[in-house]
Amino acid sequence: MAAPAPDRRIADLAAAFVELRTALGRVLVGQDEAATGLTLAVLAEQHAYLEGPPGCGKSELAAALAALSGARTHTLVFHRDIRETDLLGDVLLSRHRHRGHERLRRELIPGPLLHAEIALLEDLPRSPGEALGPLLRILAERHALGQPLPLESAVATGPLEQVEAPIDPLEPGQLDRFAIQLRLSGLLTGGLFDEAAVLLEREAARAPSRAAAPRSAVMSTATRHAAQRAAAALQVESRTIDAYHRLLDRLRRRSADESASGDRLMSDRSFSSAALRLVRAHAFLRGAPAAAPRDLGAIRYMVAHRLPEDVQEDFDHILEELLGDPPNVTMTETGAQMPGAQSQGDDSDGAAASSTASDSWIDDQADVPAPPTLFGKPPPPAQVDPLLRALVGRIERGRIDPDTDPGGQPRGYRPLRDLDELIDADLIEALLFAEGRLPGAPRTFERKRKSAGGAVAVLRDISASMAGRLTVWSSQVVLGILRVAARRRMRVGYVEFHHRALPHQVGGRLLHRSYSRLAEQAGQAKAVGQTNYEAPLRTALEGLRGGSGRNRHVVLLTDGLPIIGDTTVRRERQLARRLGVALHTVFLGNGDCPPVLDDISLETGGLRFYGRPLAGGGLRLEER
Amino acid sequence: MSDLTPLRDLLDHHVVGHDEVKTALLLALITREHIYVEGPPGTAKTRLAEVAAKGSELDFFFYQLHRDTRLAELVGDIVLERRKVKTDGAAPGTTGEAERIHQRIEPGGLLTAEVAVLDDISRAPGEALNVLLRILNERRFGAEPIPLMAAIATGNPMDDEYYNEPLDPANLDRFALQLRVSGLIQSGLDDAKTLIDRFASGSVVEQPDPEPVTDRATLDALNRRMVEVEVGAAVRAALLDVLRTLVLEFECNETNSLLTDRTFLVKAIKILRGAALLAGRDAVDLQDLNALSWMTTFRVPPEAHEALPRIIGRVSRQVRAV
């Protein structure tokens, strides 16, 4: 290009960040992408969220970033009992005597977090909403207690969403505060055995009791700041902006097509200013004089929670295709027509029009172009979100308000009732109380925890007609329900059925909390036999009969008419009504839904869902 | 024979059976790793931990967790510090004074102990444990390193009947060594007989406090010697093969297992070195790989854990053949 060569100083600044990237890459074996993402975070002054399974090195990487970049750092470990003062700083209580009466005023003195240039927020999702709200606002505004903060980047870590993790994950809207979103995988569970061998060799050579060697900074604060300023001021070539528009367009359309949550996570906040800062930083790191279209690769570090997983995996491919296939005309900003540029994207254009069900969508795979993968051709995933959301709604409705529990999360305040509770009391009020100067008792946390009651039994049709992709989709539905139940610590039961009911008991019980064992089981179902509704419903209701409480659900997953047993399941419907169990039905089959499913759902206050085939071979669960 | 034989003898003197737990306890003290022992009530879990701590003259902290456990009970007293500061900006005509109030923890309990026994850890609310377990993991509290060598946690089986919530997998991962014990009466006839005979003869009616038979200096020396224990290429290859088998054949993944890099690539090397030292060797041998089954107890599905000795045997034969 005609751009001037970067001057020497700029090159030095870029070199400092390249060194940071290199040093960071050495911290962990095989996590280069995260090292690059975090380097970009500092350079572009963006917040980053790092998630991964336990023990994959998230914390070590974040700590190394802080040390190597030479920034003033504060680490905050989030936990259930984290308080406002941990976030903001000490309390200052001032007393003013004025004409015989005393006036008390409380203020906050900015604490170490507010002085940090890089803030490390460990285990962020473990924090209750009370502390999280103010924190996220601080991160967004970079302003607290009436003064601007020196904060450049906050790096938060969190666990992977796991079936048995007892914490609620952050909401996508909360995660959106973190422009950079990185997902680490373990070397072992990710199958990276060569890298694992390198790590083993490194550990075998290293003294086990090594004192955690302090890492020294690779750059000064002045260098860091100068580089940040220079990167932010970098020009973005017009063809880059053009390509970015087209990239966003493709991502948006692919996302809307792939997932129920669609493109709603592509917020303006992230995809305008933050994204362009990252693109500039990417170019700066390359030593380029201006951001070229290839620097759009930086967007890859933003997508972990913003795009459906399929689109994420395809991201490099989508970008490559777009860059390798540039439009002929780049001058016209409003020129909507870009001949030949979107041959691959065309089929998503008519998503609405082409969603008519083909009669042969179950058996005939040849018609459906499956996405190429390394492991054969699995069918496109079923979109189970709508069912899960509706089910969550029913479950939440069935749960009573959270119970007061001393081990629960702080949710609001109440007056102190017992001196033991002083530890949970408001600091200042406890102090004044001790001095005998507080009229009444100090406020203390009211701790509550959601009742972990309730049960869900999943009845899954495994009759012969459920073969092929229906088996895969059913498994996805079952896993989704298990995840919903696990997060609420509800008991689960799992019954596969054909002409007979095959309950999967654990410890002799239908209902239990061994979620991962069931999850494994659900992945191994094989389709045989004919359909019988009576036997599985009977089994599930017998299992639920013993328990108490209102929050009891059965989800019946089937693709066909019952042939064996009482096909009207009259007695089971009656029993469910008497027990107050909601029977939800999900029909995955081809053709009309058996009317008996309507009766089952309507009579017991259950949901009625069916699987709508999608263009491209997918399936979306929708309410009937 | 190793430097810890006297301690092992002491454990044998005080507690009948439970061979594996005893070995694993010593391994925990050498490698400075934490250990989790799960078993029904009354299986000498706490007693073993106590004898090991007292027998090696270590500062001992015992805490019984409960569902209302709060951090302060484990780490010391919460202190409110008040400091007078000058105020500025007070309204005219007023005389002002202000206090800066800071909450901190005066270290005690876990923060000053060398060996900590955390009894019934599964009874504490999962979230309350998070900070505790992080202290265990990092061995420092704030910026201060703590003298803790090993935490020994015990728990009851995670069945519904004990009204426990299962430990968060990430929390359980902080305990490098994990064992499941059962009562002698259920498992070994001979040990049960010995136990009953001892009680019948009256020799255990008065349990005296164990005499110290070793000390921190010995343990420190052993810990320093770990560096010199060689982990050869054959052992590393075998370890990786075992792990590969767990992932590829037994389909251990992020959902059903805790096959974390920290544990099986970093800590496993330490455990192997410790096992070699405990056996009085200065190089890790293929047979030391058997210590891996003290790491997999709650980290992989039961069938994979049970198959581990077989896998190790197969892999060892293959490696030897090469």
Side-chain angles (χ1 to χ4, degrees):
Chain A
M1 296 292 118
D7 68 45
R8 181 70 179 272
R9 220 177 76 79
I10 297 274
D12 286 349
L13 294 176
F17 270 85
V18 170
E19 196 184 339
L20 172 64
R21 157 73 187 76
T22 310
L24 211 51
R26 272 191 224 116
V27 173
L28 299 182
V29 179
Q31 306 284 12
D32 282 352
E33 184 159 308
T36 307
L38 288 182
T39 306
L40 288 177
V42 176
L43 186 53
E45 295 177 87
Q46 297 298 322
H47 305 317
Y49 184 72
L50 207 54
E51 70 178 3
C56 70
K58 300 182 290 288
S59 303
E60 194 175 351
L61 194 63
L65 175 76
L68 290 167
S69 62
R72 197 163 52 237
T73 309
H74 183 64
T75 306
L76 206 52
V77 179
F78 281 78
H79 54 90
R80 182 194 62 175
D81 293 343
I82 202 148
R83 293 201 190 195
E84 192 191 21
T85 53
D86 295 321
L87 292 178
L88 298 175
D90 285 349
V91 185
L92 186 72
L93 177 71
S94 51
R95 307 163 190 224
H96 299 283
R97 288 209 181 74
H98 183 66
R99 295 197 188 129
H101 63 262
E102 190 183 56
R103 206 163 41 184
L104 296 178
R105 209 174 71 196
R106 60 187 298 174
E107 290 162 282
L108 285 164
I109 304 172
L113 183 67
L114 303 189
H115 289 119
E117 292 165 327
I118 291 186
L120 303 183
L121 313 171
E122 302 255 15
D123 278 346
L124 184 67
R126 289 183 190 277
S127 164
E130 281 76 359
L132 204 56
L135 175 80
L136 292 175
R137 204 170 51 242
I138 291 171
L139 293 188
E141 294 172 359
R142 294 166 190 263
H143 217 268
L145 304 181
Q147 59 185 43
L149 302 181
L151 184 69
E152 295 162 26
S153 304
V155 180
T157 61
L160 267 190
E161 195 179 321
Q162 269 174 325
V163 173
E164 259 171 270
I167 52 172
D168 286 340
L170 294 180
E171 289 159 22
Q174 296 173 318
L175 281 172
D176 194 46
R177 308 281 181 188
F178 299 90
I180 296 213
Q181 302 177 340
L182 299 166
R183 195 170 283 154
L184 298 188
S185 71
L187 300 182
L188 288 174
T189 48
L192 302 169
F193 296 111
D194 290 344
E195 284 82 354
V198 173
L199 181 53
L200 275 182
E201 196 179 341
R202 196 159 101 174
E203 289 304 316
R206 184 150 70 175
S209 59
R210 86 203 132 103
R215 295 192 168 84
S216 52
V218 298
M219 67 179 79
S220 69
T221 293
T223 305
R224 198 177 67 247
H225 286 168
Q228 286 163 343
R229 276 195 304 274
L234 211 67
Q235 289 253 316
V236 181
E237 292 177 24
S238 70
R239 62 194 177 110
T240 310
I241 297 175
D242 204 63
Y244 184 47
H245 283 305
R246 284 182 294 129
L247 176 65
L248 279 187
D249 196 45
R250 285 196 190 186
L251 293 178
R252 194 175 49 73
R253 274 192 284 174
R254 276 287 305 270
S255 305
D257 220 31
E258 297 272 348
S259 150
S261 48
D263 56 355
R264 72 192 159 90
L265 301 179
M266 295 177 62
S267 72
D268 292 351
R269 171 170 48 209
S270 313
F271 283 91
S272 56
S273 73
L276 287 173
R277 284 291 298 268
L278 288 177
V279 170
R280 287 187 170 103
H282 191 272
F284 187 81
L285 206 55
R286 266 195 318 122
R294 59 185 284 202
D295 292 311
L296 292 175
I299 308 293
R300 162 187 321 131
Y301 306 108
M302 298 181 62
V303 297
H305 286 276
R306 294 190 173 97
L307 298 179
E309 267 180 40
D310 271 30
V311 188
Q312 282 176 42
E313 275 165 28
D314 257 11
F315 180 87
D316 286 348
H317 180 67
I318 294 172
L319 182 64
E320 207 174 283
E321 198 177 81
L322 188 117
L323 297 184
D325 195 10
N328 297 333
V329 193
T330 53
M331 311 308 287
T332 48
E333 274 188 37
T334 50
Q337 298 303 318
M338 282 175 275
Q342 292 190 342
S343 53
Q344 292 302 109
D346 278 349
D347 49 6
S348 57
D349 278 1
S354 60
S355 65
T356 46
S358 136
D359 279 344
S360 57
W361 63 275
I362 290 173
D363 300 314
D364 192 351
Q365 300 205 5
D367 277 356
V368 189
T373 68
L374 289 174
F375 314 101
K377 287 183 179 177
Q383 296 178 14
V384 295
D385 280 11
L387 170 71
L388 297 184
R389 273 202 302 272
L391 199 58
V392 165
R394 295 299 175 96
I395 288 170
E396 292 297 331
R397 207 194 293 170
R399 279 147 69 98
I400 31 172
D401 290 332
D403 296 327
T404 304
D405 182 310
Q409 290 216 330
R411 301 202 180 269
Y413 286 100
R414 61 171 170 73
L416 184 91
R417 284 196 287 255
D418 187 317
L419 280 183
D420 274 358
E421 297 171 350
L422 262 181
I423 198 167
D424 252 4
D426 178 90
L427 216 53
I428 301 295
E429 292 189 5
L431 197 72
L432 295 174
F433 177 71
E435 289 178 352
R437 282 144 50 104
L438 191 75
R443 291 181 301 164
T444 183
F445 278 142
E446 170 112 280
R447 292 184 176 274
K448 287 185 172 176
R449 110 194 276 190
K450 283 196 174 160
S451 60
V456 193
V458 183
L459 316 183
R460 172 181 177 178
D461 192 342
I462 54 160
S463 63
S465 56
M466 286 293 258
R469 52 181 56 192
L470 278 180
T471 302
V472 178
W473 287 331
S474 308
S475 295
Q476 287 163 354
V477 175
V478 176
L479 289 177
I481 295 172
L482 283 178
R483 227 171 276 133
V484 164
R487 191 159 304 142
R488 288 159 184 80
R489 311 238 14 100
M490 299 172 79
R491 285 162 201 259
V492 287
Y494 179 54
V495 182
E496 291 176 353
F497 69 93
H498 37 68
H499 49 280
R500 287 193 311 146
L502 310 166
H504 287 277
Q505 299 187 330
V506 172
R509 276 174 242 169
L510 178 66
L511 299 171
H512 52 79
R513 293 199 177 94
S514 302
Y515 308 108
S516 28
R517 204 180 305 181
L518 281 195
E520 237 173 278
Q521 196 66 51
Q524 295 167 359
K526 292 203 173 53
V528 279
Q530 291 172 321
T531 304
N532 174 354
Y533 287 177
E534 185 191 1
L537 279 173
R538 169 69 47 182
T539 307
L541 291 169
E542 289 301 334
L544 286 163
R545 192 203 277 271
S548 58
R550 283 168 296 174
N551 213 4
R552 288 175 293 171
H553 304 260
V554 171
V555 183
L556 175 68
L557 202 60
T558 182
D559 76 322
L561 282 166
I563 295 169
I564 296 171
D566 174 9
T567 55
T568 65
V569 292
R570 196 176 42 81
R571 274 173 307 173
E572 284 70 28
R573 273 149 45 196
Q574 272 174 6
L575 181 59
R577 279 206 305 276
R578 212 171 60 236
L579 294 175
V581 174
L583 303 180
H584 311 283
T585 58
V586 181
F587 182 69
L588 292 178
N590 191 4
D592 288 340
C593 175
V596 62
L597 289 183
D598 290 347
D599 296 340
I600 293 174
S601 289
L602 293 176
E603 278 181 22
T604 61
L607 298 161
R608 288 182 300 160
F609 269 74
Y610 80 110
R612 180 167 71 79
L614 293 180
L619 181 79
R620 182 182 158 86
L621 294 183
E622 291 183 356
E623 196 150 12
R624 282 194 286 128
Chain B
M1 272 302 268
S2 81
D3 298 358
L4 287 187
T5 307
L7 188 56
R8 174 62 199 243
D9 291 344
L10 186 75
L11 288 172
D12 285 339
H13 176 74
H14 282 271
V15 177
V16 177
H18 298 304
D19 185 53
E20 283 198 85
V21 186
K22 289 171 183 167
T23 311
L25 265 177
L26 299 184
L27 199 52
L29 287 175
I30 295 180
T31 58
R32 309 222 168 140
E33 287 296 343
H34 307 309
I35 174 170
Y36 175 72
V37 184
E38 185 183 282
T43 43
K45 302 187 293 282
T46 312
R47 180 67 182 155
L48 276 171
E50 196 187 346
V51 173
K54 292 192 171 153
S56 41
E57 236 181 348
L58 297 171
D59 278 338
F60 179 65
F61 170 69
F62 174 88
Y63 191 80
Q64 170 89 41
L65 285 100
H66 49 90
R67 66 191 284 268
D68 197 12
T69 297
R70 300 217 172 97
L71 187 64
E73 298 166 36
L74 291 159
V75 296
D77 297 316
I78 289 190
V79 178
L80 276 187
E81 278 180 343
R82 310 164 60 173
R83 203 149 38 92
K84 292 242 186 294
V85 292
K86 288 242 188 291
T87 54
D88 46 334
T94 62
T95 56
E97 62 176 40
E99 274 180 300
R100 182 176 183 153
I101 295 155
H102 177 72
Q103 194 180 37
R104 66 173 185 88
I105 288 171
E106 181 67 38
L110 187 70
L111 299 188
T112 51
E114 294 173 301
V115 171
V117 173
L118 305 166
D119 222 17
D120 269 351
I121 197 162
S122 42
R123 282 193 201 283
E127 285 301 279
L129 284 177
N130 189 35
V131 175
L132 161 71
L133 294 169
R134 179 169 286 272
I135 298 172
L136 293 186
N137 188 46
E138 297 179 353
R139 288 156 196 277
R140 63 194 164 83
F141 186 68
E144 291 297 303
I146 58 172
L148 186 70
M149 296 176 71
I152 301 157
T154 71
N156 286 323
M158 291 174 192
D159 285 343
D160 271 353
E161 53 190 307
Y162 288 94
Y163 296 99
N164 297 327
E165 285 185 19
L167 288 170
D168 178 348
N171 285 343
L172 210 49
D173 194 43
R174 309 284 188 207
F175 298 91
L177 298 165
Q178 307 177 337
L179 280 84
R180 183 180 277 133
V181 297
S182 52
L184 297 181
I185 305 219
Q186 283 93 40
S187 50
L189 257 181
D190 285 351
D191 283 342
K193 257 182 73 185
T194 314
L195 182 69
I196 291 165
D197 289 351
R198 272 204 198 182
F199 272 91
S201 66
S203 66
V204 282
V205 176
E206 281 292 313
Q207 281 267 20
D209 247 14
E211 292 289 318
V213 292
T214 183
D215 53 15
R216 169 118 201 186
T218 309
L219 291 171
D220 283 348
L222 275 170
N223 186 260
R224 277 194 302 274
R225 266 175 53 200
M226 275 176 57
V227 190
E228 294 149 24
V229 175
E230 195 198 327
V231 188
V235 172
R236 293 203 306 270
L239 170 60
L240 197 60
D241 269 354
V242 170
L243 297 172
R244 189 182 284 134
T245 308
L246 288 177
V247 173
L248 299 180
E249 273 177 43
F250 287 82
E251 295 178 348
C252 295
N253 56 41
E254 280 160 7
T255 317
N256 63 14
S257 306
L258 255 174
L259 211 62
T260 64
D261 299 346
R262 172 173 57 207
T263 308
F264 286 96
L265 298 177
V266 178
K267 290 191 173 172
I269 296 282
K270 287 176 71 178
I271 300 293
L272 292 179
R273 283 177 153 151
L277 267 186
L278 205 55
R281 276 184 275 104
D282 54 10
V284 176
D285 199 309
L286 285 173
Q287 74 196 53
D288 293 325
L289 287 174
N290 288 314
L292 286 178
S293 61
W294 295 330
M295 306 181 72
T296 53
T297 314
F298 300 104
R299 289 187 170 101
V300 301
E303 63 276 11
H305 174 65
E306 278 153 29
L308 199 66
R310 220 173 54 232
I311 301 172
I312 293 171
R314 192 179 73 195
V315 167
S316 300
R317 275 193 302 280
Q318 283 165 357
V319 169
R320 274 199 199 97
V322 172

